[in-house]
Amino acid sequence: MQTIENISNLRSEIYLWRQQGLKIAFVPTMGNLHQGHIALVEQAKMRADKVVASIFVNPMQFGANEDIDNYPRTMAADQEKLLAAGCDLLFTPTPAIIYPKGLDKQSYVEVPNVSVGYCGESRPGHFRGVATVVCKLFNIVQPDIACFGLKDYQQVQVIQTMVEDLSMPIEIIPIETIREASGLALSSRNNYLSADEKKIAPALSQNIQWLAQAIQSNRDFISLAKQAASNIDKAGMRTDYIHICHARTLQPANADDKALVILAAAHCGKARLIDNLRVNLS
């Protein structure tokens, strides 16, 4: 596996692959990799000839009250995991490479509608930062396909919408969430959980599962979501939001909708955890 920091060197390598007619998959990350990330690389490897991963802690998607300096950076361990998973090239740009003019003078990408609400409300400017950096990385790597984890469901919808709206010739491959035995979705943020908080945290996924069952026979979505939020709070977490939405538009679901997604976020100690579950009603 090659590790490249420079954009021109990366493009030169990819040009050689293109000359050979090879299909290229891309897995963008912020590092501190866990098995959920590795599953993306493994799925990418099954779908393409060459896999490019990136590790870039993107300052544009961090809010004023979010400490980017404390975001865990584990490059050596990440490289070992990527190598074992069959990654062919790792791109590790610096902020100066991605944003040479600085954030204040950087053009940005704004994706309407699906960026609004939920994590978009809790983290203002977050999805602008996500869409901008992913657009830049897509333009640098120019992959045929890109793999994203469905744990960040709203993010996947933002990226899918951006690709469609900007006519990017890239297929977005959503990959199912990898979970611990307790049901807790794997996340870099789980590293912030104490031993006691790790026991509490599965209440988020448990109540999403409860809600998925409840809406099969009860279309009072708002009341059921409030009950799930109360259950999460009683377990010792602090609910940020829990909503039942249309699976594609992310608008609040109505009683006639069939393809739904439950979106949820909650604070557990220092960690803000997100999770979701898609539900098809008959």
Side-chain angles (χ1 to χ4, degrees), residues 216-231:
Q216 296 291 338
S217 56
N218 185 346
R219 299 296 196 270
D220 189 355
F221 296 152
I222 294 176
S223 294
L224 289 172
K226 287 182 179 178
Q227 181 60 55
S230 177
N231 294 343

Side-chain angles (χ1 to χ4, degrees), residues 203-218:
L204 182 61
S205 62
Q206 290 165 3
N207 279 282
I208 291 174
Q209 291 281 353
W210 172 82
L211 191 53
Q213 289 296 318
I215 63 178
Q216 296 291 338
S217 56
N218 185 346

Side-chain angles (χ1 to χ4, degrees), residues 251-265:
Q251 293 299 304
N254 62 55
D256 297 326
D257 290 333
K258 303 300 182 185
L260 309 179
V261 63
I262 301 167
L263 300 177

Side-chain angles (χ1 to χ4, degrees), residues 15-79:
Y15 175 78
L16 295 177
W17 293 347
R18 290 291 182 201
Q19 292 293 97
Q20 300 172 57
L22 300 178
K23 185 176 182 179
I24 298 170
F26 181 42
V27 180
T29 82
M30 292 209 302
N32 193 220
L33 304 182
H34 52 66
Q35 188 53 43
H37 296 109
I38 299 308
L40 301 181
V41 175
E42 292 171 344
Q43 289 293 322
K45 194 72 176 177
M46 295 170 60
R47 292 171 166 83
D49 302 303
K50 295 290 185 179
V51 177
V52 179
S54 65
I55 293 177
F56 177 64
V57 182
N58 176 31
M60 189 180 282
Q61 69 189 68
F62 283 78
N65 298 319
E66 298 174 338
D67 191 356
I68 187 173
D69 293 333
N70 286 333
Y71 191 88
R73 291 164 172 83
T74 54
M75 182 63 73
D78 292 347
Q79 288 174 307

Side-chain angles (χ1 to χ4, degrees), residues 227-268:
Q227 181 60 55
S230 177
N231 294 343
I232 293 167
D233 292 343
K234 288 176 181 176
M237 304 178 74
R238 178 167 58 86
T239 304
D240 184 348
Y241 63 79
I242 183 163
H243 294 292
I244 304 163
C245 312
H246 186 283
R248 186 64 182 94
T249 68
L250 304 190
Q251 293 299 304
N254 62 55
D256 297 326
D257 290 333
K258 303 300 182 185
L260 309 179
V261 63
I262 301 167
L263 300 177
H267 297 271
C268 189

Side-chain angles (χ1 to χ4, degrees), residues 15-276:
Y15 175 78
L16 295 177
W17 293 347
R18 290 291 182 201
Q19 292 293 97
Q20 300 172 57
L22 300 178
K23 185 176 182 179
I24 298 170
F26 181 42
V27 180
T29 82
M30 292 209 302
N32 193 220
L33 304 182
H34 52 66
Q35 188 53 43
H37 296 109
I38 299 308
L40 301 181
V41 175
E42 292 171 344
Q43 289 293 322
K45 194 72 176 177
M46 295 170 60
R47 292 171 166 83
D49 302 303
K50 295 290 185 179
V51 177
V52 179
S54 65
I55 293 177
F56 177 64
V57 182
N58 176 31
M60 189 180 282
Q61 69 189 68
F62 283 78
N65 298 319
E66 298 174 338
D67 191 356
I68 187 173
D69 293 333
N70 286 333
Y71 191 88
R73 291 164 172 83
T74 54
M75 182 63 73
D78 292 347
Q79 288 174 307
E80 290 182 7
K81 292 174 183 177
L82 290 170
L83 178 63
C87 181
D88 297 285
L89 192 156
L90 173 60
F91 182 44
T92 58
T94 63
I97 289 173
I98 296 297
Y99 304 120
K101 298 178 183 177
L103 294 182
D104 293 341
K105 297 179 180 179
Q106 170 66 42
S107 300
Y108 61 83
V109 178
E110 194 92 59
V111 181
N113 301 321
V114 291
S115 292
V116 176
Y118 322 121
C119 283
E121 181 177 347
S122 299
R123 305 179 68 189
H126 172 68
F127 286 122
R128 173 192 287 185
V130 169
T132 300
V133 77
V134 171
C135 182
K136 286 207 68 167
L137 290 169
F138 280 175
N139 283 331
I140 292 167
V141 177
Q142 298 189 357
D144 298 291
I145 66 173
C147 296
F148 290 86
L150 278 167
K151 180 183 73 70
D152 298 286
Y153 189 90
Q154 187 176 12
Q155 174 178 279
V156 173
Q157 298 306 311
V158 168
I159 292 167
Q160 182 68 67
T161 301
M162 177 187 73
V163 166
E164 292 171 357
D165 289 354
L166 300 183
S167 303
M168 296 180 177
I170 302 169
E171 182 184 3
I172 302 302
I173 309 291
I175 305 298
E176 293 295 336
T177 303
I178 305 297
R179 299 180 180 275
E180 298 185 7
S182 66
L184 178 64
L186 293 188
S187 170
S188 298
R189 293 185 178 91
N190 294 354
N191 295 331
Y192 298 130
L193 299 171
S194 68
D196 288 340
E197 290 164 353
K198 201 77 177 288
K199 297 175 183 177
I200 295 170
L204 182 61
S205 62
Q206 290 165 3
N207 279 282
I208 291 174
Q209 291 281 353
W210 172 82
L211 191 53
Q213 289 296 318
I215 63 178
Q216 296 291 338
S217 56
N218 185 346
R219 299 296 196 270
D220 189 355
F221 296 152
I222 294 176
S223 294
L224 289 172
K226 287 182 179 178
Q227 181 60 55
S230 177
N231 294 343
I232 293 167
D233 292 343
K234 288 176 181 176
M237 304 178 74
R238 178 167 58 86
T239 304
D240 184 348
Y241 63 79
I242 183 163
H243 294 292
I244 304 163
C245 312
H246 186 283
R248 186 64 182 94
T249 68
L250 304 190
Q251 293 299 304
N254 62 55
D256 297 326
D257 290 333
K258 303 300 182 185
L260 309 179
V261 63
I262 301 167
L263 300 177
H267 297 271
C268 189
K270 296 179 180 179
R272 180 180 178 275
L273 306 177
I274 62 173
D275 206 343
N276 65 81

